[in-house]
Structure formats: structure tokens, C-alpha cells
Amino acid sequence: QVQLVESGGGLVQAGGSLRLSCAASGNIFSINTMYWYRQAPGKQRELVAFINRGGSTNYADFVKGRFTISRDNAKNTVYLQMNSLKPEDTAVYYCYVRVLSQDSWGQGTQVTVSS
């Protein structure tokens, strides 16, 4: 099993930046792809970005050019650099991995963007 702990959320003005981190522990050697999701109030959870162990990345259209996902395999940590933030980016951001057919989610970190 894998445990995930996110950090780095907060309140920021529109146009500002935040960097989220997600540290993994437990059965980390089986982790390939690491994901960031988000969930805004009253909305479904949606995929933001993901990165595999080799560093290949993929982004949702609504964050392309603004967010960057990266990972440090030595630290078992994935990051999400968020620039040019918009009020519609306000959500709880979650880290997710799937290992040996088991889903693991972090507790989430709140990101609030004021206009």
C-alpha cells in the first residue's frame, strides 16, 4: 500500500503561483505513474496532469501552458507548479497513484484563487 501526503496549497490572487508537493511512502517501488486531480465545490473530481517514472507528462487542456508536473524519484515526490492561476482553479487538489490494482489518494490540499 502507498501513503500520499500533499502540501503547498493556500490562498493566492489571480495571476499568482503556487507549488504543490505530494510525498509518497510505503510500497513506493511499484509506483509508475503519479497523478494530480482536483475537485471544486459541487463538481466532479477531474484529472489535472500525470507523469510516469520516465518523466513523460500529460495535461488537461485547461491547464496546458500554465501548470507543470514534475517528480523526484529519489524523494518519491511529485510536484505541481501552478502559474497564472485563475479563480476557476479554486479546488481541493489530490495526489493519486494506482499500485498493484489498489487506488491510493492523498488527503487533498486546498487551493483558493481570489479575483
Side-chain angles (χ1 to χ4, degrees):
Q1 194 167 357
V2 175
Q3 294 77 44
L4 303 169
V5 178
E6 301 101 335
S7 61
L11 173 63
V12 64
Q13 288 189 331
S17 298
L18 283 173
R19 188 194 194 206
L20 307 183
S21 300
C22 171
S25 60
N27 190 10
I28 58 175
F29 298 104
S30 298
I31 297 175
N32 182 8
T33 305
M34 302 185 77
Y35 301 78
W36 284 102
Y37 280 79
R38 71 185 187 185
Q39 188 167 20
K43 295 189 177 181
Q44 288 190 330
R45 194 168 295 189
E46 59 185 358
L47 177 64
V48 175
F50 60 87
I51 183 169
N52 67 16
R53 179 169 286 275
S56 295
T57 60
N58 197 286
Y59 297 91
D61 286 343
F62 53 79
V63 302
K64 281 181 180 177
R66 300 188 299 123
F67 291 11
T68 302
I69 189 171
S70 61
R71 67 191 283 175
D72 184 333
N73 290 328
K75 295 182 178 180
N76 306 309
T77 300
V78 62
Y79 305 97
L80 187 67
Q81 177 66 44
M82 305 186 295
N83 299 329
S84 302
L85 282 161
K86 305 175 182 180
E88 51 264 43
D89 294 318
T90 295
V92 178
Y93 284 71
Y94 297 91
C95 184
Y96 165 81
V97 298
R98 183 170 176 84
V99 174
L100 300 175
S101 300
Q102 282 196 320
D103 296 329
S104 296
W105 293 92
Q107 82 286 356
T109 185
Q110 175 71 46
V111 171
T112 302
V113 184
S114 63
S115 57

